[in-house]
Amino acid sequence: MTCFDRRDLGLLILRVGTGGVLAAHGAQKLFGWFGGGGLEGTGQFMESVGYAPGKANATIAGLTEAGGGILLALGLATPAAGAAAAGAMAGAAAVHTPNGFFAQSGGYEHPAFLGLTATGLSITGPGRISLDHALGHSVNRGWMVPVALAVTGAATALVVGARNKRAARQVAGGGQE
């Protein structure tokens, strides 16, 4: 019989809580659940904040949040799941950065927290109460952590950089790109 320790239980709680929040955010974007805008409404919002084309970016963000969240909650492919979720949250934080840190002012506090937690889970691993552990860690190898974080970091830098350029052009042009 396998004995689970406090660390395993703590990681389970972090994974399920963080993954659940991320999955719900993704469902808002993809399906309009939980008061979300769905792909149409989220796509319009994404376009308005510089992520163009809006609907494609809404789809990618929704899939990354929902997929990464579900995988984190299950403890499956944890390095990739955590990195993907962190990348999506970095993209969200870029939108909220002009409002400062705190969420009450529309700041980036919430996406930063989710992104950091997802990154931490990617690095520490899922613990023994996870599908990764049950499957012999076939998609949770040590080498996967730096690869997943590096690939996600590079992709996020490109996407957020392009978004920031579009947003700057919109501001300089009085709202016109």
Side-chain angles (χ1 to χ4, degrees):
M1 181 175 152
T2 302
C3 181
F4 303 115
D5 62 17
R6 290 172 35 199
R7 179 183 178 275
D8 295 316
L9 292 173
L11 287 169
L12 174 66
I13 291 166
L14 278 173
R15 283 193 353 260
V16 170
T18 303
V21 170
L22 287 161
H25 274 272
Q28 286 180 310
K29 289 173 179 64
L30 293 171
F31 310 116
W33 296 353
F34 314 115
L39 287 176
E40 201 61 43
T42 304
Q44 290 171 6
F45 171 75
M46 295 287 252
E47 192 86 33
S48 77
V49 296
Y51 286 112
K55 196 168 185 180
N57 276 280
T59 302
I60 293 166
L63 289 172
T64 306
E65 290 174 8
I70 290 167
L71 290 173
L72 274 177
L74 295 171
L76 181 61
T78 304
M89 292 299 98
V95 172
H96 296 280
T97 296
N99 300 322
F101 178 72
F102 292 104
Q104 68 204 34
S105 301
Y108 63 94
E109 171 184 17
H110 186 66
F113 180 77
L114 287 173
L116 289 168
T117 304
T119 301
L121 288 167
S122 180
I123 294 167
T124 62
R128 289 183 286 178
I129 310 170
S130 67
L131 287 179
D132 275 338
H133 182 74
L135 298 172
H137 295 281
S138 59
V139 288
N140 178 38
R141 303 279 185 214
W143 65 265
M144 294 175 181
V145 174
V147 170
L149 292 172
V151 169
T152 300
T156 301
L158 290 172
V159 171
V160 172
R163 177 259 169 202
N164 289 346
K165 286 179 183 176
R166 271 189 223 98
R169 284 195 304 265
Q170 286 176 335
V171 169
Q176 300 292 324
E177 184 174 358

